[in-house]
Amino acid sequence: MNASADRERVPVRTILAAIGLVLATGLLLLFLRAAAEVLSWMGVALFFAVAVYPVVNWVEARARWIPRSLATLLVYLLVLLVLGGLMSLFVIPIVRQGPQLADSLPGMVADARHGRGPMGSLITRFNIDDYLREHQDQLQGYVSGLGAPALGVLRGLVSGVVAVATIFVLSYLMVLQAPRIIDAALAAAPHRHAERARRVGSASARIITGYLSGNLLISVIAGLLTYGVLLVMHVPFAALIALFVAVTDLIPLVGATLGAVVAIGAAFLHSTTAGIVVTVFCIVYQQAENHLLQPVIMSRTVNINPLVVLVAVLIGVALAGLLGALLAIPVAGVIQVVLQDLWDAHRGRLDDANAAVPAD
């Protein structure tokens, strides 16, 4: 009886270890929750550093007479100018055309309610005019908020200087110290593993750089072409609509369709002819983007199965919202590179083992 009790008794050391493990896990979760914002900054900085790292290496290789610190600084100044220009493209149309849209909304609603314009007859037929009449103040309040968010965006940009500066400083230091960190890590590993890690790292960096730069380029092209078509068709608020198209085009899978729906709807509100022209343009452009621009720009950097892309985007949205959707594909590409390397190494070991076995 005593022997059985001794066998069932749990040692005090095991109990303390279990309690310590639970407490450590709880503290880790609390730390992650408290430092979630800083960790997100570090993640963005890491992706940004990986994207800029090959550019800095290229500048350093072409201009050997300047130190790496200066080459890194020049590249980051250029990136800062480009991002500043893009941010101005985002903010200026909102500030200028947001209040204009709010001021013109009552006239648009009145025209539609009285059967004028391309949507007037449809609104009268389906009794939407009653709803518009009852909720006119509410709708105007929603749209008039476009001017306030524009000022809010400016205030947010000012208050977010700390975050942006932190990300830039972190990524700058990462790029600047990357050669020393990489060389030290590779020197501590065996030669065979070091070469393998260098190969996988180069492929991963190439995927991230290619995807981020390529996706941004495609988005700018979509916005500029949409702006040109809307401007030719005299659609009001062309810059604001084109900006929305460019932003949504960054979102994988559904972004281009979402932007096209808004552009087509705005064009039909202006005139039937403009709606038809913009519809044809959106269909033609999406086909060109899917079968020409994306293959040309992305083929040498990111080559992922569409099912993997869909799953990665869904997981990214669930974990980090829009930022997760934007970074999901390069992360999936990096994972694919690592898994492919592991599979190649495993297959190579199998081939070597089979070659070592003499044939009967």
Side-chain angles (χ1 to χ4, degrees), residues 14 36 47 90 108 142 187 219 249 278 284 307 332 339 348:
T14 303
F47 268 93
F90 282 110
M108 296 169 61
Y142 287 151
S219 176
D249 197 72
V278 173
V284 173
L307 178 60
L339 294 178

Side-chain angles (χ1 to χ4, degrees), residues 24-71:
T25 304
L27 292 175
L28 178 61
L29 293 177
L30 291 176
F31 170 77
L32 292 177
R33 182 178 179 180
E37 187 177 17
V38 177
L39 293 176
S40 64
W41 293 352
M42 294 179 63
V44 174
L46 178 60
F47 268 93
F48 193 73
V50 173
V52 175
Y53 182 73
V55 181
V56 174
N57 289 343
W58 183 85
V59 173
E60 187 181 20
R62 295 300 183 279
R64 299 180 180 275
W65 49 274
I66 62 175
R68 181 176 180 83
S69 58
L70 181 57

Side-chain angles (χ1 to χ4, degrees), residues 284-356:
V284 173
Y285 173 76
Q286 286 194 23
Q287 295 301 316
E289 180 180 300
N290 294 333
H291 298 92
L292 180 61
L293 287 179
Q294 287 187 349
V296 170
I297 296 176
M298 301 290 191
S299 60
R300 296 185 178 182
T301 55
V302 181
N303 185 17
I304 308 177
N305 185 280
L307 178 60
V308 177
V309 172
L310 176 59
V311 174
V313 171
L314 293 176
I315 295 176
V317 171
L319 293 178
L322 179 59
L323 180 62
L326 297 178
L327 299 181
I329 295 180
V331 169
V334 172
I335 295 175
Q336 178 176 277
V337 169
V338 174
L339 294 178
Q340 183 64 45
D341 181 78
L342 293 174
W343 169 249
D344 292 341
H346 177 69
R347 187 174 57 185
R349 287 194 297 267
L350 290 178
D351 294 340
D352 294 340
N354 293 334

